[in-house]
Amino acid sequence: MTEVDENRAAPEFLTVRELAELLRIKERKVYELAASGEVPVSRVTGKLLFPERDIRAWIAGGSSGGPAGPAVRRPDIFLGSHDPLLDWAIRQSRCGLATRFDGSLDGLSRFAAAEGVASGLHIRDAASGEWNLPRVAAACADQNAVLVAWARRRKGLVVRPEDKGRIGSIADLVGRTVVPRPPETGTQAMLEDLLAAECLDPADLSFCESAPTEDDAVRAVAQGGAEIAFGLESGARLFGLHFVPVVEERFDLLVDRAAWFEPPLQRLLAFCGTDSFRAHAAATPGYDISELGTVRWNA
């Protein structure tokens, strides 16, 4: 091993070779440690990179999963918000992951409690306008986790064809029957923020029974159970309804680093690189997956 220049700043990340030299082990062993989640690791553009600060803490503390302590075996469950494209990919890839789509806020809380390997999120910070990062950084600072991009989605008002031209903004919801989402969802939180921005009281709207998923909310409008849903363009087009765009939201995936290298998530990620997935995404209105896989935050 070459002598280290003490005046040179330590690298933020170590390569496989550099970590092997530091630990005095073979590079093959480094890959095994990364796959098992025994060392803090991040994968960017197909490369394994090891946060130098976390590696030093791992060595000093003798832990098995980074500075947060020993790795916890999480159940193979995908938590968080329901995204139709993600739901389809999980099923189509036959990756073996179960799903519990009970909303972004529910998923974030359950992920922090190690109740799943990943969580889909679209939580907008009203103060900064930033998506997901503020809440994830606050809730998961001690987690062995990474936040990666999934898609940008167009969200807005889904209305009946006969109401085209009559409903064109959030202000037009007054006096209308709207499909709510559960309070743990990012969609409901965002709708309430938009109402507040227009100085509207939710009591001015008539809410029907809440819908557990994005598709259920749009279906309620299509079947005549409500006049409006705050939902995705993809759902509106699928059911032949009119869509009024309001916001482009960011949908990200909060993933446990150790689980990232396990077969279920690896099968899902491999499927997302196929022509079948890309064709399906391209045919889904209102989706932009150009940033898929981009690391947005590292614990």
Side-chain angles (χ1 to χ4, degrees):
M1 185 183 300
T2 59
E3 184 176 355
V4 177
D5 181 357
E6 294 182 351
N7 294 321
R8 186 180 62 189
E12 184 177 356
F13 292 93
L14 302 175
T15 64
V16 170
R17 179 182 61 80
E18 289 169 338
L19 183 56
E21 290 181 354
L22 177 66
L23 299 178
R24 294 183 173 86
I25 59 176
K26 294 185 180 296
E27 292 185 17
R28 183 176 65 182
K29 181 60 177 177
V30 172
Y31 284 107
E32 292 175 359
L33 290 171
S36 67
E38 292 185 69
V39 292
V41 63
S42 174
R43 174 173 286 181
V44 180
T45 63
K47 289 186 177 182
L48 295 179
L49 295 174
F50 303 89
E52 193 271 343
R53 183 180 63 181
D54 290 352
I55 289 293
R56 297 287 181 183
W58 174 71
I59 294 172
S63 66
S64 61
V72 176
R73 176 62 185 174
R74 294 168 176 262
D76 290 333
I77 300 175
F78 216 112
L79 305 162
S81 178
H82 176 253
D83 175 72
L85 180 61
L86 175 63
D87 189 7
W88 175 83
I90 289 172
R91 290 182 285 106
Q92 194 73 5
S93 66
R94 301 177 68 86
C95 63
L97 289 169
T99 58
R100 180 169 183 157
F101 294 138
D102 286 336
S104 293
L105 300 176
D106 178 85
L108 181 58
S109 175
R110 291 184 184 276
F111 182 89
E115 295 182 24
V117 295
S119 182
L121 308 174
H122 62 122
I123 307 172
R124 182 178 179 272
D125 180 65
S128 65
E130 179 62 82
W131 294 93
N132 302 318
L133 288 174
R135 294 297 292 266
V136 168
C140 299
D142 62 344
Q143 299 282 320
N144 189 30
V146 61
L147 186 72
V148 298
W150 173 253
R152 290 183 178 272
R153 316 186 303 183
R154 282 197 294 272
K155 177 157 283 187
L157 306 179
V158 180
V159 303
R160 301 171 301 181
E162 58 265 33
D163 286 327
K164 181 179 180 179
R166 300 174 184 172
I167 300 174
S169 69
I170 294 294
D172 295 329
L173 300 185
V174 174
R176 299 281 187 168
T177 303
V178 179
V179 186
R181 298 290 309 284
E184 301 85 5
T185 62
T187 296
Q188 186 64 21
M190 195 190 322
L191 175 58
E192 291 173 3
D193 286 344
L194 291 170
L195 289 172
E198 295 288 335
C199 299
L200 296 177
D201 189 332
D204 295 331
L205 284 60
S206 176
F207 289 105
C208 62
E209 185 177 359
S210 67
T213 70
E214 294 282 353
D215 290 344
D216 291 325
V218 176
R219 187 179 292 109
V221 178
Q223 295 177 342
E227 296 173 275
I228 305 166
F230 184 55
L232 296 174
E233 180 179 0
S234 57
R237 304 305 181 204
L238 179 65
F239 286 93
L241 300 170
H242 181 58
F243 179 74
V244 179
V246 173
V247 65
E248 182 183 66
E249 64 178 6
R250 179 185 287 280
F251 194 99
D252 296 323
L253 308 180
L254 180 62
V255 185
D256 177 71
R257 281 200 192 95
W260 181 277
F261 297 100
E262 293 296 317
L265 277 173
Q266 282 295 300
R267 282 195 289 268
L268 175 61
L269 295 168
F271 177 72
C272 291
T274 64
D275 291 341
S276 174
F277 174 80
R278 287 191 289 267
H280 189 87
T284 305
Y287 273 77
D288 177 358
I289 62 165
S290 60
E291 296 178 319
L292 194 155
T294 302
V295 176
R296 303 198 61 237
W297 176 84
N298 251 321

